[in-house]
Amino acid sequence: MSTLNQTTVEKRRFTRIPFEAAVTLTSPNGIWHAKLLDISLKGVLTSRPLNWIWQGGDYFLVEVHPPENPFTIRMETVVAHADQDKVGLRCTHIDIDSVSHLRRLVELNIGDDDTLGRELAALGAPIVD
């Protein structure tokens, strides 16, 4: 791992969970479909949708549709970074039902109650209804 990547990982406060799911990105400019690459309690990384229109600081409603599950995780996000292949979106707001589903997903994949507790505490109250 390069020094830059290692430093980034060390600074990361939220565990990224590799997870396959369909994602819908919605903004006033349109609706796009993408593939979820990973998810955390603080945001998502997706494939870059075809013909995606965005500008720095744009907000998107992200809907994650886990395969073979009846629930959808919805979060309001802002574009944190984007390149030719990927889009990182930081969660700015998430409803209580979605955070419950997301928490369970992270809990099942982290397998460490201490880490999960630290990440939930790091979230703080402002992004949850």
Side-chain angles (χ1 to χ4, degrees), residues 13 19 27 52 57 65 104:
R13 292 172 47 194
F19 192 76
S27 80
W52 188 49
H65 313 282
R104 181 70 177 140

Side-chain angles (χ1 to χ4, degrees), residues 13-115:
R13 292 172 47 194
F14 298 94
T15 304
R16 290 182 171 185
I17 307 298
F19 192 76
E20 290 188 23
V23 177
T24 304
L25 304 172
T26 304
S27 80
N29 294 324
I31 298 172
W32 296 269
H33 300 281
K35 177 182 172 188
L36 182 69
L37 302 175
D38 67 46
I39 191 166
S40 76
L41 291 172
K42 198 59 176 170
V44 298
L45 181 68
T46 72
S47 62
R48 185 176 176 139
L50 294 175
N51 302 315
W52 188 49
I53 300 170
W54 73 286
Q55 294 180 4
D58 279 356
Y59 286 84
F60 289 84
L61 173 64
V62 172
E63 295 177 306
V64 178
H65 313 282
E68 302 178 21
N69 286 294
F71 63 86
T72 298
I73 297 170
R74 290 179 183 84
M75 59 176 71
E76 295 172 20
T77 66
V78 63
V79 176
H81 59 87
D83 63 28
Q84 285 185 300
D85 302 319
K86 300 175 195 158
V87 179
L89 298 133
R90 182 178 46 83
C91 180
T92 59
H93 182 270
I94 187 168
D95 65 76
I96 193 72
D97 290 333
S98 292
V99 81
S100 295
H101 294 305
L102 180 54
R103 176 189 172 159
R104 181 70 177 140
L105 178 68
V106 170
E107 184 178 46
L108 290 171
N109 285 278
I110 288 181
D112 176 4
D113 291 339
D114 291 338
T115 301

